[in-house]
Structures are given as C-alpha cells and as structure tokens.
Tab-separated table of all heavy atoms in Angstrom:
chain	number	residue	atom	x	y	z
A	57	SER	N	3.196	4.857	-13.511
A	57	SER	CA	4.286	3.868	-13.785
A	57	SER	C	4.006	2.455	-13.513
A	57	SER	O	4.722	1.595	-14.046
A	57	SER	CB	5.488	4.353	-13.065
A	57	SER	OG	5.243	4.473	-11.606
A	58	VAL	N	2.946	2.145	-12.700
A	58	VAL	CA	2.738	0.750	-12.286
A	58	VAL	C	1.448	0.252	-12.734
A	58	VAL	O	1.066	-0.954	-12.481
A	58	VAL	CB	2.870	0.479	-10.813
A	58	VAL	CG1	4.370	1.017	-10.298
A	58	VAL	CG2	1.773	1.234	-10.044
A	59	LYS	N	0.543	1.064	-13.251
A	59	LYS	CA	-0.676	0.566	-13.726
A	59	LYS	C	-0.681	-0.545	-14.737
A	59	LYS	O	0.117	-0.609	-15.586
A	59	LYS	CB	-1.479	1.768	-14.309
A	59	LYS	CG	-2.043	2.789	-13.445
A	59	LYS	CD	-2.796	3.954	-14.228
A	59	LYS	CE	-3.355	4.955	-13.138
A	59	LYS	NZ	-3.999	6.000	-13.792
A	60	GLY	N	-1.504	-1.556	-14.401
A	60	GLY	CA	-1.493	-2.806	-15.262
A	60	GLY	C	-0.470	-3.796	-14.912
A	60	GLY	O	-0.605	-4.917	-15.473
A	61	ARG	N	0.472	-3.487	-13.962
A	61	ARG	CA	1.394	-4.401	-13.667
A	61	ARG	C	1.308	-4.726	-12.076
A	61	ARG	O	1.605	-5.960	-11.697
A	61	ARG	CB	2.791	-3.817	-13.722
A	61	ARG	CG	3.114	-3.557	-15.263
A	61	ARG	CD	4.640	-3.156	-15.555
A	61	ARG	NE	5.028	-1.908	-14.755
A	61	ARG	CZ	5.953	-1.889	-13.920
A	61	ARG	NH1	6.565	-2.959	-13.544
A	61	ARG	NH2	6.207	-0.757	-13.291
A	62	PHE	N	0.913	-3.752	-11.272
A	62	PHE	CA	0.813	-3.932	-9.841
A	62	PHE	C	-0.565	-3.974	-9.397
A	62	PHE	O	-1.460	-3.328	-9.894
A	62	PHE	CB	1.561	-2.719	-9.116
A	62	PHE	CG	3.046	-2.786	-9.170
A	62	PHE	CD1	3.636	-3.533	-10.076
A	62	PHE	CD2	3.745	-1.909	-8.312
A	62	PHE	CE1	5.101	-3.517	-10.147
A	62	PHE	CE2	5.105	-1.864	-8.511
A	62	PHE	CZ	5.728	-2.629	-9.280
A	63	THR	N	-0.886	-4.753	-8.262
A	63	THR	CA	-2.293	-4.829	-7.781
A	63	THR	C	-2.085	-4.787	-6.216
A	63	THR	O	-1.454	-5.591	-5.648
A	63	THR	CB	-3.026	-6.152	-8.166
A	63	THR	OG1	-3.023	-6.279	-9.545
A	63	THR	CG2	-4.373	-6.137	-7.583
A	64	ILE	N	-2.811	-3.835	-5.597
A	64	ILE	CA	-2.965	-3.690	-4.232
A	64	ILE	C	-4.198	-4.268	-3.702
A	64	ILE	O	-5.246	-4.227	-4.301
A	64	ILE	CB	-2.883	-2.182	-3.779
A	64	ILE	CG1	-2.698	-2.045	-2.326
A	64	ILE	CG2	-4.073	-1.380	-4.323
A	64	ILE	CD1	-2.430	-0.650	-1.891
A	65	SER	N	-4.108	-4.944	-2.498
A	65	SER	CA	-5.345	-5.582	-2.015
A	65	SER	C	-5.221	-5.659	-0.457
A	65	SER	O	-4.154	-5.375	0.141
A	65	SER	CB	-5.442	-7.094	-2.529
A	65	SER	OG	-4.286	-7.826	-2.229
A	66	ARG	N	-6.382	-5.930	0.135
A	66	ARG	CA	-6.296	-6.062	1.653
A	66	ARG	C	-6.977	-7.358	2.103
A	66	ARG	O	-8.073	-7.688	1.424
A	66	ARG	CB	-6.986	-4.937	2.371
A	66	ARG	CG	-6.299	-3.568	1.999
A	66	ARG	CD	-7.211	-2.416	2.616
A	66	ARG	NE	-7.327	-2.373	4.085
A	66	ARG	CZ	-7.891	-1.446	4.655
A	66	ARG	NH1	-8.320	-0.349	4.062
A	66	ARG	NH2	-7.797	-1.506	6.151
A	67	ASP	N	-6.600	-8.043	3.195
A	67	ASP	CA	-7.228	-9.137	3.731
A	67	ASP	C	-7.513	-8.697	5.182
A	67	ASP	O	-6.660	-8.864	5.986
A	67	ASP	CB	-6.298	-10.248	3.717
A	67	ASP	CG	-7.009	-11.630	4.221
A	67	ASP	OD1	-7.899	-11.410	4.945
A	67	ASP	OD2	-6.543	-12.696	3.800
A	68	ASN	N	-8.792	-8.244	5.500
A	68	ASN	CA	-9.079	-7.890	6.740
A	68	ASN	C	-8.950	-8.960	7.849
A	68	ASN	O	-8.673	-8.692	8.996
A	68	ASN	CB	-10.453	-7.269	6.751
A	68	ASN	CG	-10.591	-5.948	6.069
A	68	ASN	OD1	-9.638	-5.165	6.032
A	68	ASN	ND2	-11.736	-5.642	5.405
A	69	ALA	N	-9.338	-10.171	7.493
A	69	ALA	CA	-9.195	-11.325	8.408
A	69	ALA	C	-7.798	-11.530	8.930
A	69	ALA	O	-7.736	-11.904	10.047
A	69	ALA	CB	-9.759	-12.588	7.766
A	70	GLU	N	-6.893	-11.240	8.083
A	70	GLU	CA	-5.467	-11.398	8.475
A	70	GLU	C	-4.753	-10.040	8.778
A	70	GLU	O	-3.596	-10.139	9.258
A	70	GLU	CB	-4.759	-12.043	7.350
A	70	GLU	CG	-5.228	-13.438	6.975
A	70	GLU	CD	-4.864	-14.496	8.146
A	70	GLU	OE1	-3.861	-14.221	8.901
A	70	GLU	OE2	-5.583	-15.467	8.192
A	71	ASN	N	-5.533	-8.977	8.725
A	71	ASN	CA	-4.950	-7.688	8.983
A	71	ASN	C	-3.766	-7.396	8.159
A	71	ASN	O	-2.650	-6.865	8.746
A	71	ASN	CB	-4.595	-7.419	10.473
A	71	ASN	CG	-5.872	-7.625	11.347
A	71	ASN	OD1	-6.885	-7.257	10.975
A	71	ASN	ND2	-5.741	-8.334	12.553
A	72	THR	N	-3.871	-7.804	6.946
A	72	THR	CA	-2.648	-7.711	6.013
A	72	THR	C	-2.997	-6.936	4.771
A	72	THR	O	-4.095	-7.231	4.140
A	72	THR	CB	-2.057	-9.084	5.804
A	72	THR	OG1	-1.765	-9.684	6.968
A	72	THR	CG2	-0.804	-9.001	4.924
A	73	MET	N	-2.031	-6.186	4.277
A	73	MET	CA	-2.126	-5.559	2.868
A	73	MET	C	-1.046	-6.151	2.052
A	73	MET	O	-0.007	-6.527	2.534
A	73	MET	CB	-1.953	-4.019	3.011
A	73	MET	CG	-2.071	-3.308	1.745
A	73	MET	SD	-1.911	-1.529	1.760
A	73	MET	CE	-0.121	-1.407	2.472
A	74	TYR	N	-1.436	-6.245	0.683
A	74	TYR	CA	-0.538	-6.906	-0.199
A	74	TYR	C	-0.306	-5.945	-1.418
A	74	TYR	O	-1.123	-5.173	-1.768
A	74	TYR	CB	-1.040	-8.221	-0.689
A	74	TYR	CG	-1.384	-9.348	0.400
A	74	TYR	CD1	-2.711	-9.453	0.890
A	74	TYR	CD2	-0.371	-10.020	0.799
A	74	TYR	CE1	-2.855	-10.323	1.822
A	74	TYR	CE2	-0.643	-11.008	1.770
A	74	TYR	CZ	-1.946	-11.074	2.288
A	74	TYR	OH	-2.115	-12.075	3.337
A	75	LEU	N	0.910	-6.119	-2.078
A	75	LEU	CA	1.081	-5.531	-3.361
A	75	LEU	C	1.644	-6.628	-4.233
A	75	LEU	O	2.764	-7.105	-4.037
A	75	LEU	CB	2.112	-4.409	-3.142
A	75	LEU	CG	2.490	-3.678	-4.445
A	75	LEU	CD1	1.250	-2.800	-4.929
A	75	LEU	CD2	3.677	-2.642	-4.268
A	76	GLN	N	0.908	-7.038	-5.186
A	76	GLN	CA	1.351	-8.026	-6.210
A	76	GLN	C	2.062	-7.229	-7.370
A	76	GLN	O	1.481	-6.478	-7.925
A	76	GLN	CB	0.204	-8.800	-6.725
A	76	GLN	CG	0.625	-9.816	-7.739
A	76	GLN	CD	1.282	-10.960	-7.200
A	76	GLN	OE1	1.139	-11.516	-6.180
A	76	GLN	NE2	2.529	-11.327	-7.928
A	77	MET	N	3.204	-7.597	-7.560
A	77	MET	CA	3.989	-6.801	-8.578
A	77	MET	C	4.491	-7.856	-9.783
A	77	MET	O	5.186	-8.806	-9.511
A	77	MET	CB	5.288	-6.227	-7.951
A	77	MET	CG	4.966	-5.405	-6.772
A	77	MET	SD	6.526	-4.562	-6.177
A	77	MET	CE	7.426	-5.999	-5.539
A	78	ASN	N	3.965	-7.574	-10.874
A	78	ASN	CA	4.281	-8.416	-12.034
A	78	ASN	C	4.971	-7.671	-13.068
A	78	ASN	O	4.947	-6.420	-13.052
A	78	ASN	CB	2.912	-8.933	-12.707
A	78	ASN	CG	2.168	-9.787	-11.729
A	78	ASN	OD1	2.730	-10.549	-10.914
A	78	ASN	ND2	0.805	-9.776	-11.765
A	79	SER	N	5.552	-8.311	-14.026
A	79	SER	CA	6.290	-7.672	-15.130
A	79	SER	C	7.271	-6.576	-14.554
A	79	SER	O	7.319	-5.462	-15.054
A	79	SER	CB	5.257	-7.077	-16.102
A	79	SER	OG	4.410	-8.056	-16.651
A	80	LEU	N	8.054	-7.025	-13.577
A	80	LEU	CA	9.006	-6.008	-12.898
A	80	LEU	C	10.013	-5.552	-13.877
A	80	LEU	O	10.519	-6.267	-14.667
A	80	LEU	CB	9.522	-6.745	-11.673
A	80	LEU	CG	8.477	-6.797	-10.564
A	80	LEU	CD1	9.137	-7.754	-9.488
A	80	LEU	CD2	8.448	-5.391	-9.794
A	81	LYS	N	10.368	-4.262	-13.636
A	81	LYS	CA	11.336	-3.657	-14.433
A	81	LYS	C	12.536	-3.113	-13.556
A	81	LYS	O	12.225	-2.904	-12.335
A	81	LYS	CB	10.781	-2.428	-15.181
A	81	LYS	CG	9.583	-2.731	-15.991
A	81	LYS	CD	8.979	-1.338	-16.742
A	81	LYS	CE	7.761	-1.687	-17.506
A	81	LYS	NZ	7.173	-0.383	-17.918
A	82	PRO	N	13.682	-2.942	-14.026
A	82	PRO	CA	14.843	-2.538	-13.213
A	82	PRO	C	14.446	-1.169	-12.581
A	82	PRO	O	14.967	-0.977	-11.414
A	82	PRO	CB	15.931	-2.228	-14.237
A	82	PRO	CG	15.583	-3.296	-15.252
A	82	PRO	CD	14.167	-3.329	-15.411
A	83	GLU	N	13.642	-0.218	-13.115
A	83	GLU	CA	13.371	1.047	-12.557
A	83	GLU	C	12.316	0.805	-11.396
A	83	GLU	O	11.970	1.825	-10.684
A	83	GLU	CB	12.697	1.906	-13.577
A	83	GLU	CG	11.582	1.303	-14.377
A	83	GLU	CD	12.103	0.844	-15.753
A	83	GLU	OE1	13.171	0.256	-15.792
A	83	GLU	OE2	11.374	1.185	-16.804
A	84	ASP	N	11.916	-0.429	-11.115
A	84	ASP	CA	11.107	-0.647	-9.926
A	84	ASP	C	11.927	-0.847	-8.718
A	84	ASP	O	11.416	-1.006	-7.534
A	84	ASP	CB	10.150	-1.933	-10.124
A	84	ASP	CG	9.116	-1.697	-11.198
A	84	ASP	OD1	8.492	-0.631	-11.198
A	84	ASP	OD2	8.828	-2.571	-12.042
A	85	THR	N	13.243	-0.970	-8.892
A	85	THR	CA	14.076	-1.118	-7.701
A	85	THR	C	14.011	-0.062	-6.798
A	85	THR	O	14.242	1.160	-7.132
A	85	THR	CB	15.606	-1.285	-8.292
A	85	THR	OG1	15.770	-2.477	-9.076
A	85	THR	CG2	16.509	-1.432	-7.146
A	86	ALA	N	13.744	-0.333	-5.585
A	86	ALA	CA	13.612	0.663	-4.460
A	86	ALA	C	13.349	-0.103	-3.136
A	86	ALA	O	13.115	-1.232	-3.101
A	86	ALA	CB	12.415	1.576	-4.790
A	87	VAL	N	13.353	0.724	-2.035
A	87	VAL	CA	12.850	0.166	-0.692
A	87	VAL	C	11.380	0.570	-0.776
A	87	VAL	O	10.939	1.726	-1.010
A	87	VAL	CB	13.538	0.873	0.398
A	87	VAL	CG1	12.932	0.392	1.678
A	87	VAL	CG2	15.086	0.521	0.432
A	88	TYR	N	10.607	-0.453	-0.489
A	88	TYR	CA	9.114	-0.359	-0.509
A	88	TYR	C	8.643	-0.171	0.961
A	88	TYR	O	8.894	-1.014	1.719
A	88	TYR	CB	8.467	-1.435	-1.139
A	88	TYR	CG	8.535	-1.331	-2.734
A	88	TYR	CD1	9.741	-1.556	-3.319
A	88	TYR	CD2	7.460	-1.116	-3.516
A	88	TYR	CE1	9.843	-1.468	-4.723
A	88	TYR	CE2	7.554	-0.934	-4.822
A	88	TYR	CZ	8.715	-1.097	-5.476
A	88	TYR	OH	8.820	-0.970	-6.958
A	89	TYR	N	7.814	0.818	1.260
A	89	TYR	CA	7.317	1.047	2.457
A	89	TYR	C	5.797	0.970	2.744
A	89	TYR	O	5.041	1.431	1.731
A	89	TYR	CB	7.718	2.489	2.977
A	89	TYR	CG	9.125	2.670	3.180
A	89	TYR	CD1	9.895	3.288	2.056
A	89	TYR	CD2	9.808	2.454	4.314
A	89	TYR	CE1	11.237	3.424	2.153
A	89	TYR	CE2	11.144	2.807	4.450
A	89	TYR	CZ	11.879	3.191	3.370
A	89	TYR	OH	13.215	3.385	3.531
A	90	CYS	N	5.211	0.350	3.617
A	90	CYS	CA	3.926	0.264	3.876
A	90	CYS	C	3.429	1.456	4.698
A	90	CYS	O	4.178	1.910	5.715
A	90	CYS	CB	3.530	-0.952	4.707
A	90	CYS	SG	1.867	-1.164	5.258
A	91	ASN	N	2.352	2.060	4.373
A	91	ASN	CA	1.795	3.283	5.004
A	91	ASN	C	0.375	3.038	5.398
A	91	ASN	O	-0.464	2.527	4.742
A	91	ASN	CB	1.969	4.536	4.195
A	91	ASN	CG	1.218	5.709	4.725
A	91	ASN	OD1	0.000	5.941	4.192
A	91	ASN	ND2	1.767	6.403	5.678
A	92	ALA	N	0.010	3.533	6.647
A	92	ALA	CA	-1.366	3.547	7.030
A	92	ALA	C	-1.764	4.901	7.715
A	92	ALA	O	-1.035	5.447	8.367
A	92	ALA	CB	-1.647	2.393	8.067
A	93	ARG	N	-2.933	5.358	7.294
A	93	ARG	CA	-3.460	6.605	7.802
A	93	ARG	C	-4.598	6.130	8.755
A	93	ARG	O	-5.647	5.608	8.256
A	93	ARG	CB	-3.961	7.681	6.732
A	93	ARG	CG	-4.555	8.915	7.299
A	93	ARG	CD	-4.619	9.987	6.134
A	93	ARG	NE	-3.142	10.532	5.938
A	93	ARG	CZ	-2.821	11.425	5.096
A	93	ARG	NH1	-3.872	12.052	4.317
A	93	ARG	NH2	-1.574	11.758	4.982
A	94	ALA	N	-4.572	6.608	9.931
A	94	ALA	CA	-5.496	6.068	10.952
A	94	ALA	C	-6.099	7.135	11.784
A	94	ALA	O	-5.333	8.144	12.113
A	94	ALA	CB	-4.863	4.948	11.774
A	95	GLY	N	-7.248	6.959	12.275
A	95	GLY	CA	-7.935	8.036	13.270
A	95	GLY	C	-9.366	7.841	13.144
A	95	GLY	O	-10.010	7.511	12.080
A	96	HIS	N	-10.037	8.142	14.292
A	96	HIS	CA	-11.463	8.016	14.367
A	96	HIS	C	-12.189	9.362	13.793
A	96	HIS	O	-13.358	9.250	13.608
A	96	HIS	CB	-11.869	7.801	15.876
A	96	HIS	CG	-11.478	6.447	16.282
A	96	HIS	ND1	-12.019	5.322	15.953
A	96	HIS	CD2	-10.512	6.196	17.371
A	96	HIS	CE1	-11.448	4.326	16.520
A	96	HIS	NE2	-10.557	4.741	17.405
A	97	PHE	N	-11.407	10.405	13.702
A	97	PHE	CA	-11.950	11.654	13.285
A	97	PHE	C	-11.262	12.106	12.069
A	97	PHE	O	-10.095	12.032	11.934
A	97	PHE	CB	-11.970	12.646	14.425
A	97	PHE	CG	-12.571	12.172	15.719
A	97	PHE	CD1	-11.807	11.778	16.631
A	97	PHE	CD2	-13.897	12.298	15.753
A	97	PHE	CE1	-12.383	11.278	17.799
A	97	PHE	CE2	-14.665	11.885	16.941
A	97	PHE	CZ	-13.756	11.347	17.996
A	98	VAL	N	-11.986	12.780	11.096
A	98	VAL	CA	-11.431	13.262	9.966
A	98	VAL	C	-10.379	14.319	10.258
A	98	VAL	O	-9.300	14.441	9.570
A	98	VAL	CB	-12.456	13.978	9.050
A	98	VAL	CG1	-11.937	14.611	7.741
A	98	VAL	CG2	-13.568	12.898	8.546
A	99	TRP	N	-10.575	15.209	11.294
A	99	TRP	CA	-9.673	16.193	11.595
A	99	TRP	C	-8.480	15.792	12.442
A	99	TRP	O	-7.584	16.610	12.832
A	99	TRP	CB	-10.411	17.329	12.300
A	99	TRP	CG	-11.070	16.917	13.533
A	99	TRP	CD1	-10.658	16.938	14.789
A	99	TRP	CD2	-12.512	16.430	13.651
A	99	TRP	NE1	-11.600	16.423	15.728
A	99	TRP	CE2	-12.694	16.130	14.979
A	99	TRP	CE3	-13.525	16.248	12.750
A	99	TRP	CZ2	-13.925	15.695	15.447
A	99	TRP	CZ3	-14.713	15.717	13.102
A	99	TRP	CH2	-14.936	15.482	14.519
A	100	LYS	N	-8.439	14.511	12.751
A	100	LYS	CA	-7.313	13.963	13.549
A	100	LYS	C	-6.814	12.707	12.933
A	100	LYS	O	-7.272	11.657	13.411
A	100	LYS	CB	-7.664	13.995	14.967
A	100	LYS	CG	-6.395	13.581	15.877
A	100	LYS	CD	-6.673	13.652	17.333
A	100	LYS	CE	-5.461	13.397	18.207
A	100	LYS	NZ	-5.734	13.446	19.610
A	101	GLN	N	-6.052	12.636	11.930
A	101	GLN	CA	-5.531	11.507	11.343
A	101	GLN	C	-3.940	11.431	11.493
A	101	GLN	O	-3.324	12.458	11.474
A	101	GLN	CB	-5.844	11.465	9.765
A	101	GLN	CG	-7.325	11.343	9.503
A	101	GLN	CD	-8.026	10.039	9.782
A	101	GLN	OE1	-7.537	8.990	9.445
A	101	GLN	NE2	-8.943	10.078	10.625
A	102	ASN	N	-3.478	10.220	11.673
A	102	ASN	CA	-1.981	10.103	11.751
A	102	ASN	C	-1.464	9.036	10.864
A	102	ASN	O	-2.192	8.173	10.446
A	102	ASN	CB	-1.683	9.587	13.262
A	102	ASN	CG	-1.989	10.606	14.331
A	102	ASN	OD1	-1.521	11.622	14.314
A	102	ASN	ND2	-2.923	10.200	15.174
A	103	ASP	N	-0.319	9.308	10.325
A	103	ASP	CA	0.390	8.402	9.391
A	103	ASP	C	1.368	7.457	10.149
A	103	ASP	O	2.016	7.894	11.014
A	103	ASP	CB	1.114	9.219	8.286
A	103	ASP	CG	0.245	9.655	7.264
A	103	ASP	OD1	-0.623	8.993	6.844
A	103	ASP	OD2	0.455	10.876	6.887
C-alpha cells in the first residue's frame, strides 16, 4: 500500500530512523509507531 510513496532510512551517526511519506492519502491516517528488534543472539531478541 505504500510502495513508491514511502521511503525508510537510517542515520547511524544520529541513531535515528526516518520514514519519508510522499503523495499521502486519507487512508494513510493512523498512529505511526517505531519498532526495533534488538539482541546479541538470534535466539534471544526483544521488540
């Protein structure tokens, strides 16, 4: 639903993730949440 309109990126120097949203539509209306999956081991990851 967002391909071609949204772009996700990361800036490691600033420890920041971005979502550039262009050509917005009314159906894009929502609360947007940032998520990170972290952990040093594949078998122990946390959201």
Side-chain angles (χ1 to χ4, degrees):
S57 60
V58 306
K59 285 182 179 177
R61 300 188 298 120
F62 291 10
T63 302
I64 189 171
S65 62
R66 297 174 69 172
D67 185 338
N68 290 331
E70 297 291 333
N71 300 321
T72 303
M73 178 179 67
Y74 302 96
L75 184 68
Q76 178 66 47
M77 305 185 293
N78 298 325
S79 302
L80 283 162
K81 304 175 181 179
E83 50 263 45
D84 295 319
T85 296
V87 177
Y88 284 71
Y89 295 92
C90 178
N91 168 265
R93 178 161 290 181
H96 293 293
F97 306 100
V98 174
W99 57 91
K100 190 176 182 181
Q101 298 287 306
N102 295 299
D103 282 317

